[in-house]
């Protein structure tokens, strides 16, 4: 009879994985509803929620329904929302002038949410893409081939002050122009909005994962292309050092929170930025990251609940303090149930 094969091991890591209780004790990273910022799309009018084909389960809400959605999120323990307007094509032009309208949809949406739910943390994007016919985040150069930096910042600064006056807690410049964080901070302070914070889209890559979002705000359709090229202002996906440098620049200019975006494909950058700054870090799990899990789940190839949890815990483990994710509501509901 042969003897049972036995290793003589001082360390057997599996001892700490034997049952659910032990696994819970040694769990290093935890997701909570308060980690999430829910991105929400808003439209004018009184219509029913408009589903977005490339983002199953996500819809554009009129302002009344938007407030209801915020209330539901708040009940689930989600503390913050990031609001994005979808404008009718008739409001768009080459210089995105509707962004500075005193009666802009986004301002009415912010006021409505803040009035109904003063505790809800409200963030808005500072960039021109929902407002321009070409879908770019800023003003084009005369030859139309690039985005003008300083002239764009001049508009973004005004936009940020308008949003602050509507009551947002955070303005979130997502445009990637040089120097915009410092210019926005100075303008906010001058206008008396010293308490309005800046969440800077600092390490934002020129990513193909933004496709479904561009359907949601109509910037792809306005531009007539699904692959809008933003490589003269957004980061090269190949660049790690430059991503850290951008985060540090925004910190020096006065950002309160720096962001890495997209999140899942850039976990190394989240970790790098975590080690480079003491500021809180937000990571944006973008529309394409959301869409790909839904698509695979629909095909029966992946388990949606398990992969969405895994995608989010990975982002938190990499070093993010908070996550913008279209899964916010579903994930918070699941966490609340203690599943
Ligand atoms: C626009 C903006 C984009 C996203 C957030 N703000 C798209 C872009 O830069 O083209 C993407 C979000 C997502 O894909 O979920 N400044």
């Amino acid at each position: 009879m042969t003897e049972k094969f036995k290793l003589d091991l001082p360390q057997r890591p599996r001892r700490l994985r034997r049952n659910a209780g032990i696994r819970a004790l040694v769990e290093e990273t935890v997701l909570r509803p308060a980690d999430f910022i829910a991105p929400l799309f808003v439209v004018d009018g009184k219509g029913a929620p408009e589903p977005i084909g490339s983002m199953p389960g996500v819809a554009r809400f009129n302002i009344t329904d938007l407030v209801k959605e915020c209330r539901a999120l708040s009940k689930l323990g989600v503390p913050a929302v990031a609001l994005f307007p979808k404008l009718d094509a008739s409001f768009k032009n080459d210089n995105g002038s509707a962004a500075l309208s005193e009666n802009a949809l986004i301002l009415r949406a912010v006021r409505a949410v803040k009035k109904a739910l003063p505790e809800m943390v409200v963030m808005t994007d500072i960039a021109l893409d929902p407002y321009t016919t070409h879908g770019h985040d800023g003003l084009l150069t005369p030859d139309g081939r690039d985005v003008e930096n300083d002239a764009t910042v001049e508009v973004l600064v005004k936009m940020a002050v308008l949003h602050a006056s509507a009551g947002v807690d955070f303005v979130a410049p997502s445009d990637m122009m040089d120097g915009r964080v410092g210019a926005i901070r100075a303008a906010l302070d001058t206008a008396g909005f010293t308490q309005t914070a800046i969440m800077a889209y600092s390490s934002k890559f020129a990513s193909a994962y933004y496709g479904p979002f561009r359907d949601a705000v109509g910037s792809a359709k306005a531009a007539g292309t699904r692959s809008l090229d933003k490589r003269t202002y957004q980061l090269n996906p190949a660049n790690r050092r430059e991503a850290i440098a951008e985060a540090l620049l925004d910190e020096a200019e006065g950002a309160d929170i720096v962001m890495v975006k997209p999140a899942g494909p850039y976990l190394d950058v989240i970790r790098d930025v975590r080690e480079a700054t003491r500021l809180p870090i937000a990571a944006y799990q973008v529309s394409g990251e959301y869409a790909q899990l839904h698509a695979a789940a629909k095909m029966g190839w992946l388990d949606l609940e398990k992969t969405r949890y895994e995608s989010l815990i990975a982002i938190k483990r990499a070093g993010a303090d908070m996550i913008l994710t279209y899964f916010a509501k579903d994930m918070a509901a699941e966490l609340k149930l203690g599943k």
Side-chain angles (χ1 to χ4, degrees), residues 84 125 127 129 137 174 201 204 209-210 213-214 230 234 261 284 286-287 326:
F84 297 93
D125 237 43
D129 54 307
D137 292 28
S174 67
Y201 285 70
K204 176 172 177 179
Y209 285 93
Y210 305 151
F213 174 95
R214 292 176 187 169
K230 300 191 175 183
Q234 299 177 346
K261 175 188 175 187
Y284 199 143
V286 302
S287 55
Y326 302 96

Side-chain angles (χ1 to χ4, degrees), residues 52 56 181 213:
I52 300 153
V181 170
F213 174 95

Side-chain angles (χ1 to χ4, degrees), residues 42-65:
V42 59
V43 281
D44 242 317
K46 294 193 169 11
E50 304 172 3
I52 300 153
S54 51
M55 301 179 74
V58 177
R60 305 181 196 101
F61 295 114
N62 67 38
I63 291 182
T64 309
D65 289 338

Side-chain angles (χ1 to χ4, degrees), residues 151-219:
T152 297
V153 173
E154 187 183 11
V155 180
L156 297 182
V157 158
K158 291 182 188 149
M159 195 177 169
V161 172
L162 267 178
H163 290 206
S165 62
V168 295
D169 298 277
F170 284 82
V171 289
S174 67
D175 55 293
M176 290 298 280
M177 296 301 114
D178 294 335
R180 90 282 206 212
V181 170
I184 289 172
R185 183 70 271 156
L188 289 174
D189 290 351
T190 304
F193 297 113
T194 56
Q195 297 306 306
T196 306
I198 299 177
M199 181 172 75
Y201 285 70
S202 301
S203 310
K204 176 172 177 179
F205 291 88
S207 172
Y209 285 93
Y210 305 151
F213 174 95
R214 292 176 187 169
D215 294 335
V217 301
S219 63

